[in-house]
Amino acid sequence: MGAPKQKWTSEEEEALRRGVLKHGAGKWRTIQKDPEFSPVLSSRSNIDLKDKWRNLSFSASGLGSRDKLRVPRPKAPSSSPSPSPQLLLLSAPNNVAEASPPEDCEKSPQDDKTPSPKLYSSMILEALDELKEPNGSEVATICNFIEQRHEVQPNFRRLLCAKLRRLIGVNKVEKIDKSYKLTDSYAKRALAPMKDPSLKKKDSAKSSKAAKGLGQLSPALDAAEAAAMKVADAEAKSHLANEHMMEVERIGKMAEETESLLELASELYERCSRGEALTILQVAHREF
DNA sequence: ATAGGGTTAGGG
DNA sequence: CCCTAACCCTAT
């Protein structure tokens, strides 16, 4: 009778995800007590966090509908098994589980699980962008963040340090004390084309909730809540103004071309330093 | 305190 | 009618 259902807002979801990235999955009490997340997650118990994380994990990896113990499903997977075309885009909380799917291994001999070097840089920049820590993020935090989202090779941390040093060299990343953060010039370029999640299913969910369950409560409460939500959202998203982008974009064009060459050289150097042998064919096709 | 199983409300 | 998400209960 009390509350019909308290649906999770995207702010709460984001707080939960960042909390897991910071403290690790399983430290629900720690996340809930963290002063950074407690204002958002004040109405959620540690058990709620756990349950929500379980839901997120399942929908991310299971993709749609897996077999259930409760109801035997006579669905015949005759021609479309739908083997999860894209699963790591926004959230893949369970990283170690999908290490080696029972897929056929009839691939080319150079079938590495190693993503391309371009991907590693993207992951690092994405991590720094998402973390948005004003004083920068430590290597361990960045490493943990990326491992939560992507499958990486065992010596990834060593690669990460090299990549960070190279990103500093091209002024995409700066080092503050022992932490790394995006430079202002690059952050503007990265954050500028940010999407605007002001109108979403969040609104419809809230209004439906108000209409069905909380209709008798003051409608001003819901309106104020929605307004505050939008303000907070806009404040968080803009965060870094995008004023002068034309020049940045022009320079970025040049930088990108130089970058790929530096990227290639750096990766080659790292590989050879570890004693790996590469054929000229692999280098030519960037397949390493 | 956390993990996992189980239940129920709400939506397509 | 089935599925998903929030909620509840219990063993460790």
Side-chain angles (χ1 to χ4, degrees):
Chain A
M1 273 152 296
K5 283 276 190 193
Q6 200 174 1
K7 207 167 180 312
W8 278 65
T9 67
S10 56
E11 278 79 14
E12 287 173 320
E13 273 186 33
E14 189 186 355
L16 172 61
R17 281 184 48 181
R18 295 195 47 185
V20 169
L21 289 171
K22 213 161 218 169
H23 300 285
K27 313 294 185 198
W28 311 117
R29 189 74 192 285
T30 310
I31 294 171
Q32 214 241 343
K33 269 178 52 184
D34 191 313
E36 187 179 344
F37 310 120
S38 46
V40 185
L41 301 173
S42 58
S43 61
R44 304 290 181 180
S45 71
N46 52 341
I47 300 181
D48 292 330
L49 300 188
K50 184 257 302 178
D51 284 333
K52 180 59 182 178
W53 185 252
R54 176 169 52 172
N55 286 339
L56 287 175
S57 305
F58 195 76
S59 55
S61 72
L63 249 107
S65 51
R66 241 12 182 185
D67 297 358
K68 289 195 175 165
L69 302 176
R70 307 173 54 172
V71 176
R73 285 219 311 196
K75 183 178 274 183
S78 53
S79 58
S80 61
S82 69
S84 69
Q86 46 181 1
L87 44 85
L88 35 89
L89 188 77
L90 268 182
S91 64
N94 44 355
N95 47 348
V96 284
E98 57 189 39
S100 59
E103 285 287 293
D104 46 2
C105 28
E106 37 112 1
K107 281 273 199 131
S108 50
Q110 63 209 18
D111 177 33
D112 252 351
K113 294 182 208 80
T114 308
S116 73
K118 179 70 182 173
L119 258 181
Y120 274 153
S121 286
S122 304
M123 291 178 190
I124 295 169
L125 296 173
E126 176 196 39
L128 292 175
D129 175 36
E130 288 273 330
L131 289 168
K132 285 192 186 63
E133 303 204 69
N135 298 327
S137 312
E138 292 180 27
V139 176
T141 305
I142 301 169
C143 194
N144 190 16
F145 184 97
I146 295 178
E147 283 177 349
Q148 291 284 335
R149 297 189 170 202
H150 305 283
E151 192 65 28
V152 297
Q153 53 189 115
N155 59 349
F156 170 68
R157 196 190 164 114
R158 190 196 170 282
L159 267 176
L160 176 60
C161 294
K163 287 284 176 196
L164 280 171
R165 269 181 43 210
R166 209 195 55 71
L167 287 170
I168 292 175
V170 294
N171 284 327
K172 281 189 178 181
V173 173
E174 59 184 339
K175 187 174 184 182
I176 297 178
D177 199 7
K178 285 188 172 17
S179 299
Y180 299 85
K181 76 184 281 283
L182 295 179
T183 59
D184 284 350
S185 56
Y186 183 75
K188 276 167 194 155
R189 187 154 75 100
L191 293 180
M194 207 71 156
K195 59 188 175 183
D196 182 65
S198 52
L199 314 170
K200 260 173 125 181
K201 66 175 183 183
K202 194 192 314 172
D203 284 339
S204 62
K206 272 196 175 300
S207 55
S208 73
K209 178 177 79 175
K212 291 187 177 171
L214 302 173
Q216 50 225 8
L217 292 183
S218 79
L221 189 73
D222 201 47
E225 191 183 356
M229 192 174 62
K230 286 179 181 176
V231 169
D233 221 27
E235 191 176 351
K237 292 312 185 204
S238 56
H239 185 253
L240 290 174
N242 46 347
E243 297 288 308
H244 37 287
M245 250 190 63
M246 299 176 297
E247 190 177 2
V248 175
E249 216 165 47
R250 189 172 59 82
I251 296 176
K253 275 268 169 71
M254 298 191 305
E256 253 170 35
E257 303 195 358
T258 312
E259 180 197 352
S260 2
L261 283 178
L262 276 169
E263 196 92 57
L264 180 62
S266 170
E267 189 69 17
L268 274 175
Y269 174 76
E270 288 165 15
R271 290 277 175 151
C272 294
S273 300
R274 297 198 303 267
E276 292 190 31
L278 293 170
T279 69
I280 192 67
L281 203 62
Q282 286 174 303
V283 174
H285 292 175
R286 312 294 205 264
E287 289 176 337
F288 59 98

